[in-house]
Amino acid sequence: MKLHQSIILLFLGAFVEVIFSSCKHGCGGQGGTSAHNKEESHNMGLNCMNCHSGTGEGQGCFAVAGTVYNQTFSKTKSNPTIQMYTQADGKGDLIKIIDGDDLGNFYNENSSGLTGSFYPVVVSSDGKVQKMLEPISTGACNSCHGVKTDKIWVD
């Protein structure tokens, strides 16, 4: 009987190890929201959603995330503000404001108001503005910017 119990315990232990090692953080954790003058983010320029999604290893799920650079793309732009509008050129309703951090990253878990397509406007800490004139429907900004198109920038 002891050999049988040992085999069962060994099997259960291996099963539990497989189950827990394959679990992802998912969307249950609190990934938070970026804020001016904070340095809690990382991996500037990478697609944040690779990790901060339901299948990723990052804590929490981001609705919108990316990195802002200077015009020459040589360094990140500290403390940007991202504004989301319902119409191009900063027109229509302002549906969300996200303050970027000291490292140039911006991220937000709250997807309220972000249904359909929207138009981002990037504002630097000294008030310079860069507008995206085409609508986007995903908040995974670095999945295109820095890959298929120029990095997000403002100067």
Side-chain angles (χ1 to χ4, degrees):
M1 188 71 157
K2 285 191 175 225
L3 179 62
H4 181 67
Q5 288 174 338
S6 296
I7 291 172
I8 290 173
L9 287 175
L10 183 63
F11 174 75
L12 286 175
F15 179 74
V16 168
E17 176 67 26
V18 167
I19 293 298
F20 284 110
S21 66
S22 66
C23 287
K24 307 289 184 193
H25 281 44
C27 295
Q30 294 299 312
T33 298
S34 54
H36 287 164
N37 302 312
K38 300 286 184 184
E39 293 185 354
E40 297 171 1
S41 65
H42 54 263
N43 297 330
M44 285 74 71
L46 297 180
N47 181 3
C48 309
M49 306 311 198
N50 285 340
C51 293
H52 296 278
S53 66
T55 59
E57 296 289 338
Q59 186 175 2
C61 291
F62 296 157
V64 176
T67 307
V68 178
Y69 290 84
N70 65 2
Q71 187 174 8
T72 63
F73 311 125
S74 60
K75 64 179 187 170
T76 59
K77 199 74 168 163
S78 296
N79 303 311
T81 300
I82 311 304
Q83 302 170 346
M84 304 290 183
Y85 288 90
T86 57
Q87 295 177 19
D89 205 26
K91 296 181 179 165
D93 294 329
L94 176 61
I95 53 177
K96 185 171 286 301
I97 297 174
I98 304 170
D99 291 333
D101 66 17
D102 201 38
L103 301 174
N105 285 331
F106 59 92
Y107 51 95
N108 186 293
E109 286 186 336
N110 185 351
S111 62
S112 67
L114 297 177
T115 57
S117 57
F118 44 93
Y119 298 82
V121 173
V122 181
V123 182
S124 69
S125 58
D126 57 354
K128 294 194 171 84
V129 175
Q130 185 71 8
K131 299 173 183 174
M132 188 167 175
L133 300 177
E134 298 167 8
I136 62 172
S137 58
T138 175
C141 302
N142 289 351
S143 67
C144 273
H145 288 283
V147 178
K148 300 173 190 171
T149 64
D150 284 342
K151 295 175 180 178
I152 301 168
W153 65 273
V154 65
D155 239 0

